[in-house]
Amino acid sequence: MLNEEQLIGNGNGIVDCSRCGEKVSAPCFICVECCGFYLHKTCAEAPLELNHPFHRHHPLLLLQNPPYTFKPGTRCICDFCNETCEKFIYHCSCGLDFHIKCALFTFNIAERNLKELEHVALEDPSFSSKNDGGNLGKCFVCWEPLAMYTYFSLDCGFNLHKKCAELPPKMGHVCHRKHPLLLQFNSERLSCKICQVTPNRGLVYSCSTCNLAIHIDCLSPLPVIEDKSHQHPFTLFWRQIPFICDACGTEGHHVAYACCTCSIMVHKECISLPCIMQHAWHNHRVFHTYFIHKEYFRSLNCIWCYKVVDTEHGSYFCADCNVIFHVNCALKEKEWYCIVTQENEDDKSLDIPVNSITKVLERNDAGEATLIEHCKHKHYLMLSDKISEHGDKCCDGCLLLISAKFYHCLRCDFFLHKSCAELSKIELIFYHRCDEEHFAGLKPFILTSDCMFECELCTYLSNGFSYKCNECGIHRCVRCVFLQFEVKIPGHKHPLLFYYDYKGQCSGCGTDINKAYRCKDCNFGLCLYCVVRLTRVGHNCDDHPLKLTYHKINDYEKYHYCDICEEKRDPKYWFYHCETCDTSAHVDCVLGKYPLIKLGSTYNERDHPHPLTFAKKFPYYPKCVECGEPCEDLSLECAEPGCNYIVH
């Protein structure tokens, strides 16, 4: 065995222990053959089998390597410190794994052998030099923040509260009177009887007879809690029977906090619920309330899960829009909401729409604008409802076929649905995060045109109108910007609701999906791409517009073929059909690669002296001036007479 001077004298000032992998400090053991094998004294003396008081059912065995076959990206984690185990470990057949030092340190705590703590000064979180803005880390025993109590910070890297170093190994408690509770590792991964949360690491008080566990912190809650979210203090109230929390509307067990002034009873964790939040699922702020008068609402369904909200208990709501969340639904995904503090409660976001119609020149008797100037076109636009004259034209805003009332230009091939002409120049988008990990509030998107873009949501390439994020520059097509969480699909009698965490198969195209627009009443769900699929589209295979079809037209198998590619099609999934000509075709065969590129429209993003327009040169295919290959699909050609420039 070497002391520190001998280690340095051997020229081995910094070496790793061959058992635990950490830096060796004297005294230590070294191989007499000088092969580079070093052991801490404690690692060398570690027993091959450890009967641990915190794990009474089985011994912990010292192994050279973790006894698992790991998939890529997975690793063995110590059940005490939550760090990776790479060298020797103590292992139990029930699935517990510990570093050598973690197993021995907790063994010493259990045996009240606390010599390591005798010369360590207690840290007060209120005055500690290590308290960087209150972020001290967590106690290795109870996994609660160190900042809650005085604590020890050991050189070996362990931090623990003073109270956790002195926990009794056995105790009786009012919430479990049948048997004493023993301080143990949570080897069975039981959820806490009081708070219902499953602790992954650390110690719990458990009863093996009744198969239950309780967090250390849940056994000794504070008698009184004050929080700025409520004007009165909450007082601890032990209960033998379950209760319904007035703040969140879910069941609680044993530990309740009551405000006698307001006659409410809540979970401990619900005392500090945020009062106001901006949620990505709604464009206004939502406010926490303990009850709501039902007459305020047309619907009492949560906007996240679509289940009924009991307004006799807490919820988040927007009174302006009759939008309501269950508390747990609103808080379910941290990346989808941000808390609004009291300081910026009155800081209202810019939500005044700026109309893209810059000037109204004429109106009819009903007050409708019949002749307008528009910010995205250089000529006047006239209102019309004569679809029969322009039924094969598409809107330059959304790229869908013209329907209902629309504006058109008398001097060029430019059309806008009335609704697309009235779009605002700026939209505040509420379910967008730029490059941030968490939702940070509403983002201003600017109405743009005359460019080719890929929509962030539906991924279609388009040269119609888009809304562009002012910060990260991504685009969304106008159809996706105004897509609601509840939609009505032609051919299906019930509304479809958006489910964020649905897993299944799309009824329209058959692909596997993890988010869906789904019917609550029947087994029908659609992916986003099918929801925004073009319902009417023109194609050169038929003289009439083709309609997206959801039902079998004919049961005979010989009719289940695509009239474009002449391959079989699955009658379970959607297809395009013309009732007049009995033409049927695959969705992809009709739409092709660029269903939302308007042919003949201008493209301004290429280095060419003349304007370029989108074109498909069918049935002949001129050669691309860049690569010399035929332009068989979408191409750009020069609009200047006499210039033969054409490029993929």
Side-chain angles (χ1 to χ4, degrees):
M1 187 168 71
L2 302 182
N3 59 31
E4 189 171 352
E5 291 181 358
Q6 289 171 314
L7 264 179
I8 298 171
N10 285 344
N12 297 317
I14 301 176
V15 292
D16 294 335
C17 174
S18 299
R19 271 198 169 174
C20 70
E22 298 195 1
K23 302 302 177 189
V24 170
S25 57
C28 72
F29 288 92
I30 183 172
C31 176
V32 294
E33 300 293 335
C34 297
C35 68
F37 187 88
Y38 292 85
L39 289 178
H40 288 118
K41 183 175 183 293
T42 54
C43 290
E45 295 172 349
L48 297 178
E49 186 175 296
L50 183 64
N51 293 307
H52 203 298
F54 290 159
H55 191 61
R56 298 168 183 257
H57 303 297
H58 315 109
L60 302 178
L61 303 180
L62 186 62
L63 302 180
Q64 185 172 355
N65 295 297
Y68 310 112
T69 300
F70 293 104
K71 296 179 180 179
T74 61
R75 53 202 172 101
C76 180
I77 303 296
C78 174
D79 283 283
F80 180 68
C81 72
N82 206 30
E83 298 293 331
T84 303
C85 298
E86 296 178 346
K87 298 277 187 176
F88 281 70
I89 65 167
Y90 274 105
H91 170 77
C92 177
S93 57
C94 63
L96 287 177
D97 297 296
F98 301 98
H99 295 113
I100 293 175
K101 72 170 185 178
C102 294
L104 297 179
F105 181 74
T106 52
F107 181 87
N108 288 333
I109 291 179
E111 294 292 318
R112 290 293 184 270
N113 181 17
L114 302 177
K115 293 179 181 178
E116 289 186 65
L117 305 181
E118 290 178 359
H119 305 293
V120 179
L122 271 174
E123 302 274 0
D124 188 327
S126 304
F127 307 103
S128 174
S129 60
K130 300 175 183 177
N131 188 357
D132 181 14
N135 185 21
L136 286 170
K138 294 186 176 182
C139 170
F140 278 106
V141 172
C142 69
W143 286 93
E144 291 296 320
L146 287 175
M148 295 176 65
Y149 310 99
T150 56
Y151 65 96
F152 295 103
S153 182
L154 281 71
D155 292 337
C156 61
F158 293 131
N159 299 309
L160 72 160
H161 297 126
K162 179 178 182 294
K163 71 178 186 67
C164 291
E166 300 168 349
L167 288 170
K170 181 188 295 188
M171 67 182 299
H173 200 272
V174 64
C175 70
H176 188 66
R177 301 178 189 272
K178 296 179 181 178
H179 311 106
L181 300 173
L182 303 179
L183 190 60
Q184 296 283 282
F185 295 119
N186 190 23
S187 58
E188 295 182 38
R189 300 290 189 266
L190 299 172
S191 61
C192 174
K193 183 183 178 183
I194 292 177
C195 71
Q196 309 302 305
V197 174
T198 303
N200 291 325
R201 303 282 180 262
L203 296 167
V204 294
Y205 276 98
S206 66
C207 174
S208 58
T209 306
C210 300
N211 202 34
L212 65 84
I214 302 175
H215 285 137
I216 293 168
D217 199 53
C218 289
L219 285 171
S220 53
L222 296 171
V224 177
I225 297 179
E226 295 187 50
D227 191 90
K228 61 182 179 181
S229 63
H230 193 72
Q231 62 268 43
H232 312 123
F234 285 89
T235 304
L236 175 64
F237 181 48
W238 285 101
R239 291 181 57 87
Q240 291 301 308
I241 59 174
F243 67 97
I244 300 298
C245 173
D246 288 309
C248 71
T250 63
E251 191 173 81
H253 301 268
H254 300 290
V255 175
Y257 280 87
C259 174
C260 298
T261 306
C262 301
S263 298
I264 57 175
M265 186 177 294
V266 300
H267 296 118
K268 176 186 175 183
E269 61 270 20
C270 289
I271 291 174
S272 56
L273 284 176
C275 296
I276 310 168
M277 70 164 65
Q278 180 70 63
H279 200 282
W281 250 233
H282 189 57
N283 56 351
H284 298 144
R285 291 166 177 174
V286 289
F287 296 76
H288 180 262
T289 183
Y290 284 95
F291 67 92
I292 302 171
H293 295 296
K294 289 187 178 181
E295 58 267 24
Y296 289 165
F297 286 85
R298 296 189 303 272
S299 171
L300 295 175
N301 290 335
C302 171
I303 194 176
W304 180 276
C305 70
Y306 306 107
K307 295 179 181 177
V308 174
V309 177
D310 185 352
T311 55
E312 296 298 320
H313 299 291
S315 62
Y316 282 97
F317 81 105
C318 171
D320 294 334
C321 306
N322 291 348
V323 164
I324 190 168
F325 288 91
H326 290 112
V327 168
N328 289 341
C329 289
L331 300 172
K332 187 174 183 180
E333 301 287 346
K334 289 184 179 180
E335 67 266 29
W336 287 117
Y337 68 88
C338 60
I339 297 171
V340 178
T341 60
Q342 299 291 338
E343 291 75 22
N344 60 12
E345 179 181 352
D346 297 326
D347 179 22
K348 302 297 183 184
S349 301
L350 174 65
D351 57 1
I352 302 173
V354 181
N355 202 304
S356 53
I357 297 177
T358 55
K359 189 175 183 180
V360 176
L361 302 172
E362 294 179 7
R363 294 184 182 273
N364 58 20
D365 294 340
E368 290 180 307
T370 55
L371 190 65
I372 63 170
E373 285 183 358
H374 196 274
C375 67
K376 298 301 179 184
H377 194 64
K378 58 186 177 182
H379 306 136
Y380 295 158
L381 301 179
M382 179 174 287
L383 185 66
S384 175
D385 58 2
K386 298 178 181 178
I387 300 175
S388 58
E389 297 179 8
H390 306 286
D392 60 340
K393 301 295 183 181
C394 66
C395 169
D396 282 81
C398 65
L399 277 303
L400 301 182
L401 289 174
I402 286 297
S403 60
K405 290 187 177 182
F406 59 92
Y407 288 97
H408 69 103
C409 179
L410 299 176
R411 299 176 61 182
C412 61
D413 192 34
F414 186 86
F415 294 81
L416 284 178
H417 290 120
K418 186 172 183 290
S419 58
C420 291
E422 295 170 349
L423 293 172
S424 60
K425 290 182 178 179
I426 300 175
E427 277 293 328
L428 295 174
I429 304 298
F430 51 92
Y431 50 101
H432 175 67
R433 295 197 309 237
C434 289
D435 294 324
E436 302 135 349
E437 184 179 349
H438 298 287
F439 176 68
L442 301 177
K443 304 286 185 181
F445 277 56
I446 312 300
L447 185 67
T448 61
S449 63
D450 295 330
C451 69
M452 188 171 178
F453 66 92
E454 179 181 336
C455 176
E456 178 197 26
L457 296 183
C458 69
T459 70
Y460 277 126
L461 284 173
S462 175
N463 66 333
F465 287 2
S466 73
Y467 280 96
K468 182 179 179 181
C469 178
N470 216 23
E471 294 182 20
C472 67
I474 67 97
H475 291 261
R476 287 189 183 176
C477 66
V478 294
R479 296 188 304 147
C480 287
V481 165
F482 297 104
L483 188 64
Q484 301 298 308
F485 292 117
E486 179 177 325
V487 298
K488 192 73 178 73
I489 298 294
H492 191 76
K493 59 183 178 180
H494 306 130
L496 302 183
L497 308 172
F498 181 72
Y499 286 84
Y500 179 74
D501 52 2
Y502 170 81
K503 292 188 183 299
Q505 199 173 62
C506 175
S507 302
C509 64
T511 57
D512 293 329
I513 48 179
N514 55 15
K515 299 177 181 63
Y517 279 87
R518 188 167 66 90
C519 180
K520 286 179 66 176
D521 302 308
C522 52
N523 187 25
F524 185 85
L526 296 178
C527 64
L528 172 65
Y529 308 111
C530 286
V531 169
V532 299
R533 195 82 76 191
L534 282 66
T535 54
R536 292 171 62 246
V537 63
H539 193 273
N540 55 21
C541 71
D542 199 286
D543 294 332
H544 311 102
L546 301 175
K547 291 185 178 180
L548 190 60
T549 305
Y550 312 86
H551 305 291
K552 292 181 181 179
I553 301 299
N554 201 313
D555 285 332
Y556 292 109
E557 187 176 348
K558 67 178 182 179
Y559 289 99
H560 298 158
Y561 281 84
C562 172
D563 288 316
I564 296 177
C565 71
E566 299 183 350
E567 297 289 334
K568 265 193 170 185
R569 58 178 181 80
D570 193 330
K572 297 197 302 289
Y573 303 130
W574 293 358
F575 59 99
Y576 282 103
H577 183 71
C578 172
E579 292 183 356
T580 305
C581 306
D582 199 23
T583 301
S584 299
H586 292 124
V587 168
D588 290 341
C589 290
V590 172
L591 297 180
K593 292 182 181 179
Y594 310 105
L596 296 179
I597 298 293
K598 183 175 181 179
L599 300 182
S601 57
T602 304
Y603 182 74
N604 297 320
E605 298 180 54
R606 190 168 177 87
D607 187 16
H608 184 72
H610 309 137
L612 299 177
T613 59
F614 290 97
K616 282 188 178 181
K617 310 306 288 185
F618 179 84
Y620 72 97
Y621 306 114
K623 291 183 178 180
C624 171
V625 299
E626 295 282 345
C627 67
E629 296 294 324
C631 292
E632 296 179 355
D633 204 338
L634 189 69
S635 58
L636 293 167
E637 68 174 351
C638 183
E640 189 74 16
C643 181
N644 295 322
Y645 181 89
I646 187 167
V647 67
H648 285 114

